[in-house]
Amino acid sequence: MLSRVWSASLVGIDAIKVGVEVDVAGGLPAVVVVGLPDTAVQESRERVKAALKNAGYAVPMRKVVINLTPADLRKEGPSFDLPISIGILAATEQVNCQSLDDYLFLGEVSLDGALRPVTGVLAIAAAAHRMGVKGLVVPADNAREAAVVKGLEVYGFQHLSEAADFLNYPDHYKPLKVDGLQELARSQFRGLDLKDVKGQAHARRALEIAAAGGHNLIFVGPPGSGKTMLARRLPSILPPLNFEEALEVTQIHSVAGLLRDKGSLVGDRPFRSPHHSASGPSLVGGGSFPRPGEISLAHRGILFLDELTEFKRDVLEFLRQPLEDGYVTIARTRQSVMFPAQFTLVASTNPCPCGYFGDTIQPCTCKPRNREQYWARLSGPLMDRIDLQVAVNRLKPEEMTQQATGEASSSVRERVQQARDRARARFQQETLRCNAEMQSRHLRRWCQLSDATRTLLESAIRKLGLSARATDRILKVARTIADLAGEEHLQTHHVAEAIQYRTIDRMQ
């Protein structure tokens, strides 16, 4: 007898519907899997046979052919265990086949028939809803993750026998209901607070501007000046994720298998901090069957590169296109996958090899040639894409010993949220989310300059040798400064402050 069960396969963070066709016919006992299965899918033959036997079902002692369609799509992972098991049960008439076409089945099966969770369920659930599928049957540990998608029936089971019983008696079961908004509201921020930072008013101001406008930021200063401490507190002043953003972030983390709790959305903005020995594919994603890299895992959040000049130059060059476009495309022979990568880049570095160039206490021991070679590790086009270049100085002794705390993150976040609300009201007819995403046509409309302001900017361009891209970045930062001040039009002091955040340009 022939049966067909529906499942899905991930392509990037999207999913394609996969048919699992099972034919049980005469011949020597054997199980054959065709349709470009990988090793994990091939091994499902043994897992499924043992699971069916140990769960009390009859294992057909005939030839079983399992075809995964479409045949030209690579199938990978253990998520096909459950649909293959159900397909064999349907082909041998051990379960009712009437509702098979209404559901997608996903899950790994243990030898005793228990269902184990798999990755990427949320991404598959979102794709299933777009396809018009009625519902999903998944392991119990994946159920809450999938049920976040509205308009989709989700059934979670602990054992293969429960999934089979559901097909025979569907009226005995009710789909799991999860309110995604409530799940998101229950998530609490677990990050660090800005009040722990002593002094550094200039750097704190830069953090606030970066958060309000989504601007890329680099801190330059001697060891121990607090660069990393400041950067790690940026998430605490960012606006919380809305439901659509949380769904995007959770899908990516689900595909990567990084969900801490499979029953809830990712409520905090991501903060990814790869080591400086990271390779290019680990940053942008890749592999024979592409998986998201650090920049996609930082989507809607922060990518922090500590000790930026220690990263290989060719690795950093991988960031240029994602920083400009907000996505990364991984091309392979069999397929091309696009991952979202709208993140804020935050970096830190020492001003020279010894770390003390410009320090007021410890003298620099580097020769000018050494400093030139040090900064040559960072290309001009990459630095042009960093809006805020901020010098972080060593704390004064009286600042180190003071007991008073700085302004708390909650207060700063309120101002950031107000600035973002002003920008969002301005972008009502656009697809922009923050000032950093503005293009040239937006700058002409919302960053008009007076004669005095234009003269100031032209002088800075000539003196610092700014490129057209760096000039646009200055205007975007000035627009954010104006939003923080609650002012509609750019003033000279807004542009002047934005120019001050070109520390590295002034060092050249």
Side-chain angles (χ1 to χ4, degrees):
M1 184 177 174
L2 176 67
S3 69
R4 182 174 63 184
V5 179
W6 292 105
S7 187
S9 181
L10 287 169
V11 179
I13 62 168
D14 202 358
I16 294 179
K17 196 174 183 181
V18 172
V20 181
E21 300 173 342
V22 179
D23 179 61
V24 180
L28 294 176
V31 178
V32 180
V33 182
V34 297
L36 282 183
D38 74 345
T39 303
V41 180
Q42 289 281 11
E43 291 174 347
S44 68
R45 296 174 299 178
E46 306 304 323
R47 289 194 297 271
V48 167
K49 286 193 296 184
L52 290 174
K53 175 177 67 70
N54 292 325
Y57 296 101
V59 179
M61 299 302 293
R62 291 181 287 173
K63 185 175 183 178
V64 179
V65 179
I66 301 166
N67 181 37
L68 307 177
T69 62
D72 61 345
L73 176 69
R74 179 77 172 181
K75 322 304 187 305
E76 57 177 346
S79 62
F80 292 100
D81 288 4
L82 178 57
I84 289 174
S85 302
I86 296 297
I88 292 175
L89 292 176
T92 54
E93 299 182 338
Q94 298 183 72
V95 296
N96 193 329
C97 302
Q98 291 182 353
S99 58
L100 283 181
D101 287 339
D102 296 333
Y103 298 95
L104 296 187
F105 293 80
L106 300 164
E108 179 184 345
V109 177
S110 297
L111 298 185
D112 61 354
L115 300 185
R116 295 172 55 83
V118 293
T119 61
V121 169
L122 179 58
I124 292 174
H129 180 58
R130 294 193 297 269
M131 298 174 192
V133 174
K134 182 178 179 180
L136 258 66
V137 177
V138 297
D141 289 343
N142 288 126
R144 292 188 66 82
E145 176 186 345
V148 170
V149 179
K150 298 178 181 178
L152 193 69
E153 294 183 5
V154 176
Y155 297 88
F157 299 116
Q158 297 280 359
H159 198 272
L160 174 60
S161 59
E162 297 176 11
D165 191 60
F166 163 72
L167 292 173
N168 292 327
Y169 308 101
D171 295 338
H172 295 179
Y173 297 87
K174 293 183 179 180
L176 177 66
K177 299 293 184 182
V178 173
D179 189 326
L181 292 175
Q182 288 185 0
E183 290 287 331
L184 189 59
R186 276 198 293 268
S187 65
Q188 297 181 351
F189 180 74
R190 296 181 287 272
L192 304 171
D193 200 293
L194 200 57
K195 69 180 180 181
D196 301 327
V197 178
K198 297 179 179 180
Q200 304 293 7
H202 183 59
R204 291 170 63 102
R205 170 68 171 171
L207 278 181
E208 184 174 340
I209 295 171
H215 301 291
N216 300 321
L217 167 68
I218 183 171
F219 287 127
V220 182
S225 57
K227 304 184 296 295
T228 302
M229 184 179 187
L230 284 159
R232 291 189 177 279
R233 281 155 178 76
L234 179 55
S236 69
I237 61 175
L238 289 171
L241 292 169
N242 59 39
F243 181 74
E244 289 75 18
E245 291 174 333
L247 202 59
E248 292 176 14
V249 173
T250 308
Q251 284 187 45
I252 297 171
H253 283 69
S254 174
V255 169
L258 297 179
L259 287 184
R260 292 193 301 268
D261 182 359
K262 293 185 181 298
S264 64
L265 291 170
V266 174
D268 297 340
R269 290 193 179 272
F271 185 92
R272 305 294 300 180
S273 180
H275 190 261
H276 59 73
S277 61
S279 65
S282 70
L283 277 184
V284 301
S288 300
F289 304 98
R291 287 288 184 264
E294 290 292 335
I295 62 174
S296 294
L297 294 172
H299 182 61
R300 304 297 183 198
I302 307 297
L303 177 68
F304 177 48
L305 303 183
D306 200 7
E307 303 298 341
L308 183 66
T309 49
E310 297 301 322
F311 284 80
K312 295 180 181 178
R313 177 166 174 153
D314 60 334
V315 171
L316 294 178
E317 294 305 293
F318 281 113
L319 298 176
R320 286 166 55 178
Q321 182 256 338
L323 282 172
E324 202 70 25
D325 299 336
Y327 63 87
V328 60
T329 302
I330 309 296
R332 293 293 180 266
T333 303
R334 292 184 177 273
Q335 61 183 349
S336 180
V337 176
M338 186 176 72
F339 293 115
Q342 292 183 329
F343 61 94
T344 298
L345 174 64
V346 179
S348 69
T349 186
N350 296 330
C352 65
C354 78
Y356 295 100
F357 179 68
D359 188 43
T360 56
I361 298 178
Q362 187 163 338
C364 174
T365 59
C366 302
K367 297 179 180 179
R369 179 60 178 167
N370 298 137
R371 289 196 292 269
E372 291 178 7
Q373 293 175 340
Y374 182 77
W375 284 108
R377 302 177 189 177
L378 306 178
S379 69
L382 176 63
M383 298 311 298
D384 273 352
R385 288 169 169 81
I386 298 181
D387 308 10
L388 300 165
Q389 305 167 359
V390 183
V392 181
N393 298 317
R394 189 196 298 262
L395 287 177
K396 298 176 182 178
E398 57 270 22
E399 291 177 323
M400 294 183 187
T401 57
Q402 69 180 7
Q403 297 299 318
T405 59
E407 186 178 15
S409 293
S410 56
S411 301
V412 180
R413 186 166 57 245
E414 290 180 6
R415 295 196 297 271
V416 168
Q417 185 64 65
Q418 291 171 2
R420 289 228 178 185
D421 290 343
R422 294 186 186 99
R424 192 175 296 112
R426 189 165 57 245
F427 300 147
Q428 284 182 353
Q429 305 302 320
E430 304 284 347
T431 58
L432 306 177
R433 293 176 180 265
C434 59
N435 290 330
E437 298 177 7
M438 289 193 295
Q439 303 297 323
S440 296
R441 60 187 179 89
H442 304 124
L443 296 177
R444 289 193 297 269
R445 180 177 178 184
W446 290 308
C447 297
Q448 296 181 5
L449 304 177
S450 65
D451 292 340
T453 306
R454 183 176 292 103
T455 300
L456 172 66
L457 184 57
E458 290 173 355
S459 176
I461 294 171
R462 284 191 293 269
K463 184 175 180 180
L464 302 179
L466 299 176
S467 66
R469 181 184 287 115
T471 303
D472 286 349
R473 301 277 173 173
I474 288 176
L475 292 176
K476 294 176 185 179
V477 172
R479 179 66 267 173
T480 300
I481 294 171
D483 288 340
L484 285 168
E487 299 182 14
E488 183 67 24
H489 302 288
L490 290 189
Q491 305 295 328
T492 303
H493 62 276
H494 299 148
V495 176
E497 183 178 357
I499 293 172
Q500 292 301 308
Y501 295 116
R502 304 299 300 184
T503 296
I504 296 176
D505 291 330
R506 299 200 304 273
M507 289 172 59
Q508 304 302 316

